Amino acid sequence: MGQDIAVMGEVGLAGEVRAIPQCDRRMSECVRLGFTTIVMPRENARRLTAPENVKIIGVDTVMQALSVLF
């Protein structure tokens, strides 16, 4: 796994990745810290526009997130 990947979200008991509040602020902080790929809940990803040179990957489940990471 690369050191340029950030992951955020809330995980439910069934493995679903739920939307989180203030995702835009969290994304801005990730970008400020140098992350170039951000894995986040699909619900949040739909509402955000990625800054230049940053890739946002929206996921619905933990399994989807793991397939992106590994």
Side-chain angles (χ1 to χ4, degrees), residues 1-55:
M1 178 174 17
Q3 294 181 357
D4 61 341
I5 301 173
V7 180
M8 63 178 80
E10 180 180 311
V11 178
L13 293 175
E16 71 275 15
V17 178
R18 299 179 189 149
I20 55 175
Q22 300 180 3
C23 195
D24 54 337
R25 295 175 79 190
R26 296 172 197 226
M27 182 182 67
S28 296
E29 187 67 13
C30 288
V31 172
R32 186 184 74 75
L33 292 171
F35 293 100
T36 58
T37 302
I38 304 171
V39 180
M40 66 174 63
R42 188 175 315 275
E43 184 68 30
N44 290 117
R46 285 186 194 133
R47 294 183 235 150
L48 296 174
T49 302
E52 189 174 328
N53 300 325
V54 174
K55 181 178 179 182

